Amino acid sequence: MENRRSHSLTGPLLSGNANNGTNAGSRNANTNNRATNANANYGFRLYREKDLRLCDPASWQKKLTGDGERFPSRNGTLFDRFVSHYTLVEAAMKAQVGKRKSKQIQDFNKKFGENIQRLHDQLASEMGIPCQYRSMKVFEPKERNIMIAPFYPHRIIHQAIVMVMKDSWIGNLIDNTYACIKGRGIHACMFDVRDALSQDQAGTRYCLKMDVSKYFDSIDHEVLKQLIRQELDDARLLHVIDNQIDSVPGGVGVPIGNLTSQYFANIYLTPLDHFCHEVLGLKYYFRYMDDVVMLHSDKAFLHHCRVAIENYLNDCLHLKLKRNWQVFPVASRQIDFVGYRLNHKGVMLRKKILTNFYKGVSKLAKSQRQIELKHQLSSHYGWVKYVDKIHQQNIYKNAEIKQKVILN
């Protein structure tokens, strides 16, 4: 008889027989299988932490449903895809990335398959699942109240919604909308503004810079629901999304901290993007979430755009502009946007980010003689590496002189 070495197990997925010679039956487990040994008569295996990290959602769906097929992505079947075991397993894996040491995730993983099955049954029955948020204040880059949803089931649901809707939602955004989109983050936004300034100085003489007042807290639930319904006609999935939107009482606001809120916030200003491009005819329009930069050759035209945009936001989206909007000549003043300062001459780092860089260098210099910038200050390096070469050299030189360290 083969000597089977025991493994350190995270926990059973559902239930089953400890004897490999006995059929475990559907949705049960044979506990003495190796992690690599496939037994035709099981529903689940026990898993190790390594297996959890390397989990292939398609294989888990096959174990849970009896087949490995994915659901089609047309609107009529999106809810089926949303509640599928494949989607829920992958969503659970994504939701716990970087957080697997937390107690609530460890408790969830002890009964991983059982919890996935329970969530599948709840969602498939269209049962509403109320959410109780935990709030936390953060002060960088500014004071905000972050709403933290429980990992199970809500952060899994958020991931699952995004998995089935992301392509549709992103596909409706214009090219110059950024934030929370793969390949279209801070640096992509900065590059596009930089290129516009360098390639068309005459057409980018003036800048209109503005943002929305208390944006996340001001999103109207009914308007958001109507915007989502323009692209989705699956009533059951709409019911789930509506529950997420209505998790904040009062009919206004989406919780900062939810994955879905980032997408909702981008969707909500999509009509403004099209208004600026197609009605106002703005060629150089860049939006990073609710921060907007517009460039034009005519200062008076930008003032006209500001009035039109303010009226559009008030009338159609029930939002208000902050009073700190600005129209100014780019030649005499840099554009402070997405962490950088830009004009026709080039790109520099925002002063606050530069100060934080020097503080990081100073802190490391107290404990060691040499600093490897790429590894020990990688987040700061990610900012500094994209500024103009002369500005970058001055930053490194100042850090060396002040701290007497070598930056690699």
Side-chain angles (χ1 to χ4, degrees), residues 175-333:
D175 291 341
N176 296 114
T177 297
Y178 310 85
C180 310
I181 306 169
K182 187 176 182 179
R184 287 159 66 178
I186 285 173
H187 293 113
C189 181
M190 183 272 285
F191 294 150
D192 287 346
V193 177
R194 179 199 64 186
D195 292 346
L197 290 168
S198 63
Q199 295 170 10
D200 187 5
Q201 293 192 20
T204 58
R205 289 179 60 199
Y206 294 95
C207 173
L208 167 57
K209 186 174 183 292
M210 63 186 192
D211 62 334
V212 177
S213 176
K214 299 180 180 179
Y215 179 49
F216 277 76
D217 294 333
S218 303
I219 292 176
D220 186 293
H221 291 184
E222 292 306 315
V223 174
L224 176 59
K225 290 175 184 178
Q226 290 305 313
L227 291 173
I228 291 173
R229 278 161 171 77
Q230 291 178 8
E231 302 299 330
L232 177 65
D233 60 4
D234 188 316
R236 294 183 296 170
L237 185 54
L238 283 169
H239 177 68
V240 175
I241 295 174
D242 287 350
N243 284 340
Q244 295 300 314
I245 295 171
D246 292 333
S247 65
V248 175
V252 178
V254 295
I256 300 175
N258 280 7
L259 176 65
T260 48
S261 295
Q262 301 170 15
Y263 286 87
F264 292 159
N266 251 339
I267 293 167
Y268 199 80
L269 284 180
T270 298
L272 175 67
D273 299 338
H274 290 284
F275 176 76
C276 290
H277 265 280
E278 298 156 20
V279 178
L280 297 180
L282 279 162
K283 180 179 179 181
Y284 300 117
Y285 170 93
F286 309 92
R287 177 171 69 83
Y288 190 91
M289 199 55 75
D290 65 309
D291 292 327
V292 182
V293 160
M294 286 157 275
L295 304 170
H296 201 268
S297 60
D298 188 346
K299 182 178 180 180
F301 177 73
L302 288 179
H303 278 289
H304 163 74
C305 289
R306 196 273 305 169
V307 174
I309 289 169
E310 187 166 17
N311 290 335
Y312 184 87
L313 289 175
N314 288 338
D315 297 341
C316 300
L317 300 177
H318 307 158
L319 298 172
K320 293 183 179 180
L321 280 184
K322 279 187 182 177
R323 295 181 180 180
N324 63 351
W325 60 266
Q326 305 162 8
V327 176
F328 56 89
V330 176
S332 61
R333 184 175 162 192

Side-chain angles (χ1 to χ4, degrees), residues 364-372 376 403-407:
L364 281 175
K366 293 178 181 179
S367 60
Q368 56 197 75
R369 297 184 62 184
Q370 183 170 326
I371 297 174
E372 296 182 7
Q376 295 171 289
Q403 310 303 334
K404 297 181 180 180
V405 297
I406 300 172
L407 300 175

Side-chain angles (χ1 to χ4, degrees), residues 368-386:
Q368 56 197 75
R369 297 184 62 184
Q370 183 170 326
I371 297 174
E372 296 182 7
L373 179 61
K374 290 183 181 180
H375 304 294
Q376 295 171 289
L377 290 171
S378 56
S379 61
H380 296 87
Y381 177 77
W383 288 101
V384 176
K385 68 182 290 188
Y386 293 113

